[in-house]
Amino acid sequence: MSLTDFPAGARLSPPGVSLPKVTVPALTEMKRQAKPISALTAYDYSTARLADEAGIDLILVGDSLAMVVLGHENTLAVTVDEMLHHTRAVRRAVRRALVVSDMPFGSYHGPIAEGLANAVRFVKEAGAEAVKIEGPRVELVRALTDAEIPVIGHLGLTPQSVHRMGGYRVQARTADAVLQLEADAFALAHAGAGAIVLEGVPREAAQQITAALPVPTIGIGAGPDCDGQILVFHDLVNLDFSPTAKFVRRYADASALFRSAIERYREDVEHRTFPSDAESYHLPESSRRMVQISVDGADSAANRDAHEEPNRKSNRR
Ligand code: KIV
């Protein structure tokens, strides 16, 4: 049985979201129609579901998971098994968006056969609809494409190369480097990549490559001329506990929201104002008399709540 089976009746599209499902060929069609591609990372059921219901086209289970969810210093430590675990959660939430999984550092840097075997796991065991790999690994992209696994390339600032790059630095800052970047993008596209993420490159470089390339570019820190844009969810809502990079726009302050909610909850517990009587379950009056429980002001709630079950799963589809 697939690990990504949906519960019966769960395939209805959410209100406000127009199907059909986004696919890799659909991204190229969007480029052709000059329709911007919206992409966002997600790592769990709830955020993936919000992103999907908001109409995001592509949801990436990024290896940024290592940093923003698991607290590592960089992306290098996250494992295939961890990425699979989070991809499964995202896949269960998503109805419309294309679900792409990042292949983590070390999972495709050795023999092609090993990269292929790991990519197959993302599709077979977690329901990924494409995998993303960093760098101009043309032979691997060709092998994955031949094996029917759609691939998204990732060029420019490739975080898995942090040690080689000597830090997270803007790439392609000379004319020669822009030409090399463009050649790499073309090589990946010709090998079968369905789109290319361009990260941390000058706007002019991204603009030139986007105009020339037959497949879409999806930018992050690459200016507004790419065919689409991607951000890390935790950056978008200020949950990343780090200074804002130049290319990030904060659309909400979830840190402030969550912090305040958690502090108010703690205070209510400490002052015994949570839970209230109305937030409590009660015995029916007859049983209460028998066990001689007396709860002030609880009479009206008693009969109503007597047979009520906790409704923890009501938000599930
Ligand atoms: O891991 C990630 O979040 C990414 C995006 C920044 C493109 O690769």
Side-chain angles (χ1 to χ4, degrees):
M1 190 182 93
S2 161
L3 296 171
T4 54
D5 278 350
F6 297 110
R11 286 181 182 273
L12 297 174
S13 56
V17 174
S18 62
L19 291 174
K21 187 87 179 63
V22 181
T23 60
V24 171
L27 298 181
T28 300
E29 181 57 21
M30 289 175 78
K31 177 179 177 109
R32 207 185 59 76
Q33 294 179 12
K35 224 173 142 195
I37 298 164
S38 58
L40 187 62
T41 67
Y43 317 95
D44 60 26
Y45 179 89
S46 53
T47 50
R49 184 164 165 177
L50 289 173
D52 192 44
E53 292 184 4
I56 291 291
D57 298 312
L58 184 159
I59 295 180
L60 171 70
V61 188
D63 62 354
S64 47
L65 158 72
M67 299 167 80
V68 297
V69 176
L70 303 179
H72 292 292
E73 191 183 327
N74 54 45
T75 61
L76 304 181
V78 71
T79 66
V80 169
D81 285 335
E82 287 167 335
M83 292 297 299
L84 288 171
H85 175 75
H86 287 266
T87 302
R88 282 183 203 115
V90 167
R91 191 64 199 84
R92 283 181 207 115
V94 172
R95 299 291 173 268
R96 175 184 170 271
L98 179 74
V99 176
V100 182
S101 229
D102 243 343
M103 293 193 62
F105 177 66
S107 69
Y108 59 97
H109 297 76
I112 301 274
E114 193 178 301
L116 178 57
N118 282 321
V120 166
R121 291 193 68 194
F122 280 96
V123 176
K124 202 188 247 313
E125 298 178 32
E129 294 157 336
V131 296
K132 179 167 81 58
I133 61 172
E134 296 186 4
R137 295 172 190 277
V138 176
E139 288 314 309
L140 178 60
V141 170
R142 192 167 290 121
L144 296 177
T145 305
D146 285 348
E148 316 298 349
I149 299 175
V151 189
I152 309 290
H154 184 161
L155 296 173
L157 193 171
T158 46
Q160 291 175 12
S161 318
V162 59
H163 295 317
R164 179 181 56 72
M165 293 184 304
Y168 299 112
R169 301 175 197 288
V170 175
Q171 303 293 301
R173 303 189 79 145
T174 65
D176 280 352
V178 173
L179 287 178
Q180 183 60 55
L181 184 67
E182 186 169 352
D184 290 344
F186 265 94
L188 289 179
H190 288 143
I196 310 282
V197 169
L198 289 177
E199 176 167 359
V201 300
R203 173 179 181 174
E204 297 74 18
Q207 184 181 35
Q208 177 175 318
I209 294 167
T210 300
L213 212 62
V215 298
T217 59
I218 300 175
I220 173 164
D225 308 301
C226 294
D227 297 302
Q229 297 292 331
I230 185 163
L231 279 179
V232 169
F233 174 80
H234 291 60
D235 291 341
L236 184 91
V237 298
N238 189 24
L239 274 179
D240 56 358
F241 299 95
S242 60
T244 320
K246 179 178 185 171
F247 61 83
V248 169
R249 188 179 294 176
R250 302 254 200 234
Y251 284 86
D253 190 354
S255 280
L257 183 75
F258 288 172
R259 203 183 289 279
S260 147
I262 294 164
E263 282 171 4
R264 284 187 293 118
Y265 164 69
R266 177 184 54 74
E267 281 164 16
D268 285 353
V269 170
E270 288 176 2
H271 295 120
R272 295 195 183 283
T273 56
F274 175 83
S276 68
D277 184 66
E279 289 158 333
S280 308
Y281 298 102
H282 296 275
L283 283 171
E285 206 175 333
S286 52
S287 306
R288 273 170 52 200
R289 259 190 258 107
M290 282 175 67
V291 294
Q292 296 184 318
I293 292 175
S294 164
V295 182
D296 284 343
D299 287 355
S300 59
N303 288 329
R304 191 193 63 222
D305 289 351
H307 304 293
E308 196 177 78
E309 291 297 330
N311 191 18
R312 299 180 66 92
K313 289 266 178 185
S314 61
N315 63 337
R316 293 290 184 267
R317 289 169 180 161

